[in-house]
Amino acid sequence: MAETEVRWVDVASYDELPAGTGKTVRIGALELALFRLTSGKVHAVHNRCPHKDGVLAEGIVSGEFVFCPMHDRKIHVPSGEVQKPDDGCVRTYEAKVENGRVHIAVPGEAH
Ligand code: FES
């Protein structure tokens, strides 16, 4: 069976990504939160908290986690998993850096 087609979209300059918080990126109907972690790695997740739609790009980043700005749920950025005692998961998107630019893999149906 065929995998869902993805396309890579250039969304930002790596050097311009903020440290300690996220950046909101829109690709068609998708709204993503882009994070540069202290490790230097870049990750992208759906920009809404599974609890009550808090904007994750406005959360505080600590290590590999972002804290939702609305009610402080702790979300593991690389996996999208909400940490205990809360539940839930945020969709993640593959990200890569090439020639100083951040590219995100988005599903074919997003365009
Ligand atoms: S909306 Fe994110 S913790 Fe409530």
Side-chain angles (χ1 to χ4, degrees):
M1 199 185 301
E3 293 281 310
T4 305
E5 207 180 300
V6 299
R7 67 189 170 110
W8 288 92
V9 181
D10 180 331
V11 293
S13 159
Y14 179 78
D15 288 340
E16 288 172 8
L17 289 184
T21 186
K23 175 182 172 65
T24 295
V25 165
R26 289 186 180 81
I27 305 170
L30 289 179
E31 187 180 308
L32 310 181
L34 202 56
F35 297 102
R36 180 170 68 176
L37 303 183
T38 43
S39 65
K41 284 196 170 177
V42 176
H43 293 273
V45 303
H46 179 62
N47 199 18
R48 289 291 185 272
C49 178
H51 180 220
K52 291 193 174 174
D53 286 345
V55 179
L56 297 178
E58 295 173 4
I60 301 294
V61 177
S62 175
E64 290 194 325
F65 299 93
V66 60
F67 291 84
C68 177
M70 285 187 66
H71 313 100
D72 216 30
R73 289 197 180 188
K74 183 180 181 183
I75 297 168
H76 184 238
V77 172
S79 67
E81 286 180 8
V82 178
Q83 303 299 290
K84 299 289 178 199
D86 302 305
D87 291 312
C89 194
V90 183
R91 183 169 180 179
T92 60
Y93 295 84
E94 213 179 325
K96 67 180 179 185
V97 180
E98 268 180 13
N99 301 321
R101 301 288 307 176
V102 180
H103 300 258
I104 305 294
V106 296
E109 73 263 23
H111 57 98

